Amino acid sequence: MSELVIHDATVVTVDEENRILREGTIRVEDGEITAVEPTEEADRRADADRVIDADGQIAIPGLIDAHRHTDFALVGGLFSDLDGDHLLREAISLYHNAEKELGDSFFEAGWELACLRQLTNGITTVNAMDFTPEIGAEAVGESGLRGVIGPELADLLKPESPAEQLAEARSFIEEYHDTYDGRVTASIAPGGEVGCSRKLWEGVADLRRYYPDLRLHTHLYDTPEADTMAAASGADDPIALLDELDLLDERTLLTHLLHADEDDARRIAESGAHVLHCATVYSYFRAGAQTWFPLPALREAGANVALGLDDPFWFDCWDIIQEAKHARLLANFEYGAHQLSSYKLVKMLTIDAARALGMDDEIGSLEAGKRADVVLFDVDARRHEPFSNLPSLLTNTITGGDANTVIVDGELLMHDGVVKSMPVEETVAAAERERSRLQEKTGWKTSLAGSSPPEKSIVRRISARPIIRAIEQYGHGFVSEHLP
Ligand SMILES: [Zn+2]
């Protein structure tokens, strides 16, 4: 007897043959897909623990957010009307003060809200880099979702020494890698050339030799000063730095590359490293205005590119389908039409992202032998019918909010729009409570009409900190948007 049978779905498999089944059946046993075939009459009367009639719904592989930060999920609504410089000042002051003034309960509520946002947008897997990885691993594990979580290492931005941060990363890996039935795994996550000293990079190289199966997840070329920062670590540029330390290969994930040129793109592609692109956050705040992600060069050189929301709480959108839309619009605006086809975007959100994470044997497509991570989108609605071009429908018309049913490892985490795996009311109540505390402590004001930052920014109180000196010296472009 099957554990789960989904019948009469329109199935976009994203398998090697790129099959699309008009009326398809997905069979699942022990959390694994055992068959994806055209629906037969017997499937409608299948003997299974659970049978889902998915008539009028599209089934696709669970969506993957390939680069995200989560710690500050609760600041949603505060930052989205600020300009880039102001955003950065307020973010830094929050990041520096939140840990001691708000405590674990703030981050726990944030991670749980993030899981709820992720789940209800059809994102079954997240690749996260955060300063509260233990809280994250437990929140993701308990929610039934899948997550690769890296403790963000950045000795130029955090008070702990490289040795202390590396020791903490090692104990995180030992405690949380391959937990929750394998749904939660760990990565090694140095923040990038801006936040890490040579000493830290060398420690990262040691850590990676010790854990060769883990992904190395970092930011690269997100500021124009990337080469200068790499020079401070004794290398010609960031790619040379990684290469020299044996950190640049097919297990490496490089995020942003806003200031990488064509030659950099070629070197990255030749190394086999994967690229994570986050179009929304940079275009929204107009950072990196002088250059843009070198998509044509990466494509020509054959690099694998996946997509991420990065800091969804800064611009108030947790929908990775909209992220894909923005990636295409900005690429077309910069380089001319047809930079990314609709079906390529679907692949970038599924199988390409799975390949980047080294999980393409397990997830990223709907085919026998893979884990059953499936999202059903309800398209039996007036605003969608009639339709023909499914890749276009999936990337131009529907949104993450159209996700109706979300399955991970064969478990129904959301069914017919009802969340099953998380206590929704408690999650929302905790988020509201912790957010009120944040506002009381910082002076942020919010109303239904918008938000306003504290009149006297607490940045002044922390102006002796090195990161503020760096901003004063180099301007905001010096700093990535990811700060402790
Ligand atoms: Zn990031």
Side-chain angles (χ1 to χ4, degrees):
M1 189 172 79
S2 292
E3 174 183 317
L4 170 67
V5 172
I6 302 166
H7 65 81
D8 286 294
T10 301
V11 184
V12 181
T13 64
V14 203
D15 65 8
E16 286 197 3
E17 288 85 46
N18 302 312
R19 286 188 305 156
I20 294 179
L21 308 179
R22 182 176 290 277
E23 290 174 340
T25 291
I26 302 167
R27 286 182 177 272
V28 178
E29 277 174 48
D30 295 330
E32 184 180 303
I33 298 171
T34 56
V36 181
E37 301 292 348
T39 298
E40 295 183 2
E41 191 51 41
D43 295 333
R44 300 183 179 114
R45 293 175 275 104
D47 184 15
D49 293 340
R50 194 179 281 271
V51 178
I52 296 177
D53 179 353
D55 184 27
Q57 301 190 56
I58 299 177
I60 69 166
L63 297 167
I64 300 172
D65 182 350
H67 178 79
R68 194 189 77 198
H69 306 273
T70 319
D71 292 324
F72 286 85
L74 296 187
V75 307
L78 298 188
F79 289 167
S80 59
D81 288 324
L82 300 184
D83 66 41
D85 287 353
H86 199 172
L87 162 85
L88 205 71
R89 285 202 300 279
E90 295 302 334
I92 290 165
S93 59
L94 273 182
Y95 284 28
H96 270 287
N97 287 275
E99 202 168 343
K100 67 176 185 294
E101 293 198 12
L102 295 164
D104 281 356
S105 60
F106 176 78
F107 296 103
E108 284 161 6
W111 270 100
E112 279 160 21
L113 186 71
C115 289
L116 185 61
R117 295 266 192 268
Q118 179 184 333
L119 170 54
T120 50
N121 275 285
I123 300 168
T124 53
T125 298
V126 66
N127 181 39
M129 177 194 286
D130 279 287
F131 296 106
T132 54
E134 294 87 359
I135 294 171
E138 287 174 20
V140 171
E142 296 294 329
S143 71
L145 294 161
R146 205 179 288 283
V148 183
I149 298 170
E152 184 163 353
L153 305 166
D155 63 319
L156 300 181
L157 306 180
K158 286 174 70 183
E160 293 87 9
S161 70
E164 287 168 326
Q165 293 190 34
L166 289 158
E168 283 174 20
R170 189 180 279 251
S171 62
F172 173 79
I173 294 166
E174 290 293 327
E175 189 169 353
Y176 289 101
H177 179 61
D178 199 14
T179 54
Y180 295 96
D181 299 323
R183 286 185 290 102
V184 172
T185 55
S187 71
I188 300 168
E193 71 276 61
V194 167
C196 303
S197 70
R198 169 107 194 170
K199 197 171 171 96
L200 181 66
W201 282 114
E202 287 172 352
V204 164
D206 288 341
L207 200 60
R208 199 189 203 204
R209 275 189 289 277
Y210 197 80
Y211 297 107
D213 295 335
L214 301 192
R215 267 357 196 197
L216 181 91
H217 179 198
T218 190
H219 301 99
L220 212 75
Y221 275 120
D222 51 346
T223 82
E225 291 79 14
D227 288 343
T228 309
M229 294 307 292
S233 289
D236 286 345
D237 61 28
I239 299 171
L241 175 66
L242 294 186
D243 200 19
E244 184 189 325
L245 294 171
D246 244 349
L247 291 172
L248 188 68
D249 57 37
E250 68 289 344
R251 299 166 298 155
T252 305
L253 309 176
L254 305 175
T255 313
H256 297 322
L257 302 184
L258 272 190
H259 300 273
D261 62 21
E262 290 184 12
D263 183 49
D264 300 324
R266 183 184 50 72
R267 292 159 70 201
I268 288 164
E270 282 173 3
S271 75
H274 307 266
V275 177
L276 311 179
H277 179 36
C278 310
T280 305
V281 72
Y282 276 100
S283 53
Y284 194 106
F285 294 102
R286 193 69 171 141
Q290 302 305 310
T291 61
W292 190 242
F293 182 71
L295 177 69
L298 287 164
R299 191 178 51 223
E300 280 159 27
N304 180 39
V305 179
L307 302 170
L309 286 165
D310 205 359
D311 306 281
F313 39 86
W314 283 9
F315 50 84
D316 300 333
C317 180
W318 292 74
D319 179 358
I320 195 76
I321 295 175
Q322 284 197 47
E323 182 67 41
K325 179 183 282 192
H326 298 165
R328 169 154 61 187
L329 291 176
L330 288 154
N332 288 0
F333 181 76
E334 186 73 17
Y335 301 114
H338 309 304
Q339 294 295 321
L340 292 163
S341 72
S342 296
Y343 190 59
K344 180 59 181 172
L345 290 174
V346 173
K347 291 179 81 168
M348 289 167 83
L349 294 175
T350 55
I351 191 68
D352 292 354
R355 190 176 305 124
L357 299 180
M359 298 169 76
D360 49 319
D361 286 344
E362 288 178 80
I363 58 171
S365 61
L366 299 179
E367 53 191 316
K370 291 211 178 178
R371 305 306 297 168
D373 289 11
V374 188
V375 180
L376 299 177
F377 287 98
D378 189 359
V379 288
D380 191 8
R382 289 205 176 136
R383 69 185 187 281
H384 297 316
E385 287 183 323
F387 58 82
S388 60
N389 181 339
L390 278 181
S392 178
L393 183 83
L394 283 167
T395 52
N396 286 317
T397 313
I398 72 168
T399 66
D402 286 312
N404 178 45
T405 294
V406 177
I407 298 163
V408 172
D409 256 358
E411 295 290 326
L412 275 165
L413 308 189
M414 183 166 83
H415 188 210
D416 275 338
V418 179
V419 173
K420 302 284 189 185
S421 66
M422 294 189 68
V424 175
E425 283 176 23
E426 284 96 322
T427 301
V428 173
E432 285 179 339
R433 185 187 67 232
E434 291 300 320
R435 196 189 152 89
S436 295
R437 287 183 57 230
L438 169 77
Q439 292 180 225
E440 282 163 23
K441 298 262 183 198
T442 61
W444 272 93
K445 291 189 175 52
T446 60
S447 74
L448 293 179
S451 300
S452 56
E455 280 176 23
K456 195 171 181 183
S457 173
I458 52 178
V459 158
R460 288 184 201 118
R461 299 200 331 242
I462 57 170
S463 59
R465 288 178 184 267
I467 192 63
I468 302 300
R469 287 202 303 274
I471 291 172
E472 285 165 0
Q473 192 169 349
Y474 295 103
H476 83 276
F478 171 83
V479 191
S480 80
E481 82 287 10
H482 321 288
L483 295 164

Coordinates of all heavy atoms in Angstrom, one line a residue, residues 264-312:
D264 N 36.3 37.2 -14.4 CA 35.9 36.5 -13.1 C 34.9 35.5 -13.4 O 34.9 34.4 -12.8 CB 35.3 37.6 -12.1 CG 36.3 38.7 -11.8 OD1 37.5 38.4 -11.7 OD2 35.8 39.8 -11.6
A265 N 33.9 35.8 -14.2 CA 32.8 34.8 -14.5 C 33.4 33.6 -15.1 O 33.0 32.4 -14.7 CB 31.8 35.4 -15.5
R266 N 34.3 33.7 -16.0 CA 35.0 32.6 -16.7 C 35.7 31.7 -15.6 O 35.6 30.5 -15.6 CB 35.9 33.0 -17.8 CG 36.5 31.9 -18.6 CD 37.5 32.5 -19.6 NE 38.5 33.5 -19.0 CZ 39.5 33.1 -18.2 NH1 39.7 31.9 -17.9 NH2 40.3 34.1 -17.7
R267 N 36.5 32.4 -14.8 CA 37.3 31.7 -13.8 C 36.3 30.9 -12.8 O 36.6 29.8 -12.4 CB 38.1 32.6 -13.0 CG 39.2 33.2 -13.8 CD 39.7 34.5 -13.2 NE 40.5 34.4 -12.0 CZ 40.7 35.4 -11.1 NH1 40.1 36.5 -11.3 NH2 41.4 35.2 -10.0
I268 N 35.2 31.5 -12.5 CA 34.3 30.8 -11.5 C 33.7 29.6 -12.2 O 33.6 28.5 -11.7 CB 33.2 31.8 -11.1 CG1 33.8 32.9 -10.2 CG2 32.0 31.1 -10.5 CD1 32.9 34.1 -9.9
A269 N 33.3 29.8 -13.5 CA 32.7 28.7 -14.2 C 33.7 27.5 -14.4 O 33.3 26.4 -14.2 CB 32.2 29.1 -15.6
E270 N 34.9 27.9 -14.7 CA 35.9 26.8 -14.8 C 36.2 26.0 -13.5 O 36.5 24.8 -13.6 CB 37.2 27.4 -15.3 CG 37.2 27.7 -16.8 CD 38.4 28.5 -17.3 OE1 39.3 28.7 -16.5 OE2 38.5 28.9 -18.5
S271 N 36.0 26.7 -12.4 CA 36.3 26.0 -11.2 C 35.1 25.1 -10.8 O 35.3 24.2 -9.9 CB 36.4 27.1 -10.0 OG 35.1 27.6 -9.7
G272 N 34.0 25.2 -11.4 CA 32.8 24.4 -11.1 C 32.0 25.0 -10.0 O 31.0 24.4 -9.6
A273 N 32.4 26.1 -9.4 CA 31.6 26.7 -8.3 C 30.3 27.2 -8.8 O 30.1 27.5 -10.0 CB 32.4 27.9 -7.7
H274 N 29.3 27.2 -7.9 CA 27.9 27.6 -8.3 C 27.7 29.0 -7.8 O 28.4 29.5 -6.9 CB 26.9 26.7 -7.5 CG 27.2 25.2 -7.8 ND1 26.6 24.5 -8.8 CD2 28.0 24.4 -7.2 CE1 27.0 23.3 -8.8 NE2 27.9 23.2 -7.8
V275 N 26.8 29.7 -8.5 CA 26.5 31.1 -8.3 C 25.1 31.3 -7.8 O 24.2 30.8 -8.3 CB 26.8 31.9 -9.6 CG1 26.5 33.4 -9.4 CG2 28.2 31.7 -10.1
L276 N 25.0 32.1 -6.7 CA 23.7 32.4 -6.2 C 23.3 33.9 -6.4 O 24.1 34.8 -6.0 CB 23.6 32.1 -4.7 CG 24.2 30.7 -4.3 CD1 24.1 30.5 -2.8 CD2 23.4 29.6 -5.0
H277 N 22.3 34.2 -7.1 CA 21.9 35.5 -7.5 C 20.7 36.0 -6.8 O 19.7 35.3 -6.7 CB 21.6 35.4 -9.0 CG 21.2 36.7 -9.7 ND1 21.7 37.9 -9.3 CD2 20.3 37.0 -10.7 CE1 21.2 38.9 -10.1 NE2 20.3 38.3 -10.9
C278 N 20.8 37.2 -6.2 CA 19.7 37.8 -5.5 C 19.3 39.2 -6.1 O 19.9 40.2 -5.6 CB 20.0 37.9 -4.0 SG 20.7 36.4 -3.3
A279 N 18.5 39.2 -7.1 CA 18.3 40.4 -7.9 C 17.5 41.5 -7.1 O 17.8 42.7 -7.2 CB 17.6 40.1 -9.2
T280 N 16.5 41.0 -6.3 CA 15.6 42.0 -5.7 C 16.3 42.9 -4.7 O 16.2 44.2 -4.8 CB 14.5 41.3 -5.0 OG1 13.8 40.4 -5.9 CG2 13.4 42.3 -4.5
V281 N 17.1 42.4 -3.8 CA 17.6 43.2 -2.7 C 18.5 44.3 -3.2 O 18.4 45.4 -2.7 CB 18.3 42.3 -1.6 CG1 19.6 41.8 -2.1 CG2 18.5 43.1 -0.3
Y282 N 19.3 44.0 -4.2 CA 20.2 45.0 -4.8 C 19.5 46.0 -5.6 O 19.8 47.2 -5.6 CB 21.3 44.3 -5.5 CG 22.4 43.9 -4.6 CD1 22.5 42.6 -4.1 CD2 23.3 44.9 -4.0 CE1 23.5 42.3 -3.2 CE2 24.2 44.5 -3.1 CZ 24.3 43.2 -2.7 OH 25.3 42.9 -1.8
S283 N 18.5 45.6 -6.4 CA 17.8 46.6 -7.2 C 16.9 47.5 -6.4 O 16.8 48.7 -6.6 CB 17.1 45.9 -8.3 OG 16.2 44.9 -7.8
Y284 N 16.3 46.9 -5.4 CA 15.4 47.6 -4.5 C 16.1 48.8 -3.8 O 15.6 49.9 -3.8 CB 14.8 46.6 -3.5 CG 13.6 47.2 -2.7 CD1 12.3 46.6 -3.0 CD2 13.7 48.2 -1.8 CE1 11.2 47.1 -2.3 CE2 12.6 48.6 -1.1 CZ 11.3 48.1 -1.4 OH 10.2 48.6 -0.7
F285 N 17.2 48.5 -3.3 CA 17.9 49.6 -2.5 C 19.0 50.3 -3.4 O 19.8 51.1 -2.9 CB 18.5 49.0 -1.2 CG 17.4 48.6 -0.3 CD1 17.1 47.2 -0.1 CD2 16.7 49.5 0.4 CE1 16.1 46.8 0.7 CE2 15.6 49.1 1.3 CZ 15.3 47.8 1.4
R286 N 19.0 49.9 -4.6 CA 19.9 50.6 -5.6 C 21.4 50.5 -5.2 O 22.1 51.5 -5.3 CB 19.4 52.1 -5.7 CG 20.1 52.8 -6.9 CD 19.6 52.3 -8.2 NE 20.0 53.1 -9.3 CZ 20.4 52.7 -10.5 NH1 20.4 51.4 -10.7 NH2 20.8 53.5 -11.4
A287 N 21.7 49.4 -4.5 CA 23.1 49.2 -4.2 C 23.8 48.7 -5.5 O 23.2 48.1 -6.3 CB 23.3 48.3 -3.1
G288 N 25.1 48.8 -5.6 CA 25.8 48.3 -6.8 C 25.3 48.9 -8.0 O 25.3 48.2 -9.1
A289 N 25.0 50.2 -8.0 CA 24.4 50.8 -9.1 C 25.3 50.9 -10.4 O 24.8 50.9 -11.5 CB 24.0 52.3 -8.8
Q290 N 26.6 50.8 -10.1 CA 27.5 51.0 -11.3 C 27.6 49.7 -12.1 O 28.0 49.8 -13.3 CB 28.8 51.5 -10.8 CG 28.8 52.8 -10.0 CD 28.1 53.9 -10.8 OE1 28.5 54.1 -12.0 NE2 27.2 54.6 -10.2
T291 N 27.4 48.6 -11.5 CA 27.6 47.4 -12.3 C 26.4 46.4 -12.0 O 25.7 46.7 -11.0 CB 28.9 46.6 -11.9 OG1 28.8 46.3 -10.5 CG2 30.1 47.5 -12.1
W292 N 26.3 45.4 -12.7 CA 25.2 44.4 -12.5 C 25.7 43.0 -12.7 O 26.7 42.8 -13.4 CB 24.0 44.7 -13.4 CG 22.8 43.9 -12.9 CD1 22.1 43.0 -13.7 CD2 22.1 44.0 -11.7 NE1 21.1 42.4 -12.9 CE2 21.1 43.0 -11.7 CE3 22.3 44.7 -10.5 CZ2 20.2 42.8 -10.6 CZ3 21.5 44.5 -9.4 CH2 20.5 43.5 -9.5
F293 N 25.0 42.1 -12.1 CA 25.3 40.7 -12.1 C 25.7 40.3 -13.6 O 24.8 40.4 -14.5 CB 24.1 40.0 -11.6 CG 24.2 38.5 -11.5 CD1 25.0 37.9 -10.6 CD2 23.5 37.7 -12.4 CE1 25.1 36.5 -10.5 CE2 23.6 36.3 -12.3 CZ 24.4 35.7 -11.4
P294 N 26.9 39.7 -13.8 CA 27.3 39.4 -15.2 C 26.7 38.1 -15.7 O 27.4 37.1 -16.0 CB 28.8 39.2 -15.0 CG 29.0 38.7 -13.6 CD 27.9 39.3 -12.8
L295 N 25.4 38.1 -15.9 CA 24.7 36.9 -16.3 C 25.1 36.3 -17.6 O 25.4 35.1 -17.7 CB 23.1 37.1 -16.3 CG 22.3 35.9 -16.8 CD1 22.4 34.8 -15.8 CD2 20.9 36.3 -17.0
P296 N 25.2 37.2 -18.7 CA 25.6 36.6 -20.0 C 26.9 35.9 -19.9 O 27.1 34.8 -20.5 CB 25.6 37.8 -20.9 CG 24.7 38.8 -20.3 CD 24.9 38.6 -18.8
A297 N 27.9 36.5 -19.2 CA 29.2 35.9 -19.2 C 29.2 34.6 -18.4 O 29.9 33.6 -18.8 CB 30.2 36.9 -18.5
L298 N 28.4 34.6 -17.3 CA 28.3 33.3 -16.5 C 27.7 32.2 -17.4 O 28.1 31.1 -17.3 CB 27.5 33.6 -15.3 CG 28.2 34.4 -14.2 CD1 27.2 34.9 -13.1 CD2 29.3 33.5 -13.5
R299 N 26.6 32.6 -18.1 CA 25.9 31.6 -18.9 C 26.8 31.1 -20.0 O 26.9 29.9 -20.2 CB 24.7 32.3 -19.5 CG 23.7 31.3 -20.2 CD 22.5 32.0 -20.7 NE 22.9 33.2 -21.5 CZ 22.3 34.4 -21.5 NH1 21.3 34.6 -20.6 NH2 22.7 35.4 -22.2
E300 N 27.5 32.0 -20.7 CA 28.4 31.6 -21.8 C 29.5 30.7 -21.3 O 29.9 29.7 -21.9 CB 29.0 32.8 -22.5 CG 28.1 33.4 -23.5 CD 28.5 34.9 -23.8 OE1 29.7 35.2 -23.7 OE2 27.6 35.7 -24.1
A301 N 30.0 31.0 -20.0 CA 31.1 30.1 -19.5 C 30.5 28.8 -18.9 O 31.3 28.0 -18.4 CB 31.8 30.9 -18.4
G302 N 29.2 28.7 -18.8 CA 28.6 27.5 -18.3 C 28.5 27.4 -16.8 O 28.4 26.2 -16.3
A303 N 28.4 28.5 -16.1 CA 28.2 28.4 -14.6 C 26.8 28.1 -14.3 O 25.9 28.5 -14.9 CB 28.6 29.8 -14.0
N304 N 26.6 27.3 -13.2 CA 25.3 27.0 -12.7 C 24.8 28.2 -11.8 O 25.5 28.5 -10.8 CB 25.3 25.7 -11.9 CG 24.0 25.3 -11.3 OD1 22.9 25.5 -12.0 ND2 23.9 24.8 -10.1
V305 N 23.7 28.7 -12.0 CA 23.2 29.9 -11.3 C 21.8 29.5 -10.7 O 20.9 29.1 -11.3 CB 23.0 31.1 -12.2 CG1 22.4 32.3 -11.4 CG2 24.3 31.5 -12.9
A306 N 21.7 29.8 -9.4 CA 20.4 29.6 -8.6 C 20.0 31.0 -8.0 O 20.8 31.9 -8.1 CB 20.5 28.5 -7.6
L307 N 18.8 31.0 -7.4 CA 18.3 32.3 -7.0 C 18.0 32.3 -5.5 O 17.7 31.2 -4.9 CB 17.0 32.6 -7.7 CG 17.1 32.6 -9.2 CD1 15.7 32.7 -9.9 CD2 17.9 33.8 -9.7
G308 N 18.1 33.5 -4.9 CA 17.8 33.6 -3.4 C 17.2 34.9 -3.1 O 17.4 35.9 -3.7
L309 N 16.4 34.9 -2.0 CA 15.7 36.1 -1.5 C 16.6 37.0 -0.7 O 16.3 38.2 -0.5 CB 14.5 35.7 -0.7 CG 13.3 35.2 -1.5 CD1 12.3 34.5 -0.5 CD2 12.6 36.3 -2.2
D310 N 17.7 36.4 -0.2 CA 18.7 37.1 0.6 C 18.0 37.7 1.9 O 18.0 37.0 2.9 CB 19.3 38.3 -0.2 CG 20.7 38.6 0.3 OD1 21.1 38.0 1.3 OD2 21.3 39.5 -0.3
D311 N 17.5 38.9 1.9 CA 17.0 39.5 3.1 C 15.5 39.9 2.9 O 15.2 41.0 2.7 CB 17.7 40.8 3.5 CG 19.2 40.5 3.7 OD1 19.6 40.0 4.7 OD2 20.0 40.8 2.7
P312 N 14.6 38.9 2.8 CA 13.2 39.2 2.4 C 12.5 40.2 3.3 O 11.6 40.9 2.9 CB 12.5 37.8 2.4 CG 13.4 36.9 3.2 CD 14.8 37.4 3.1

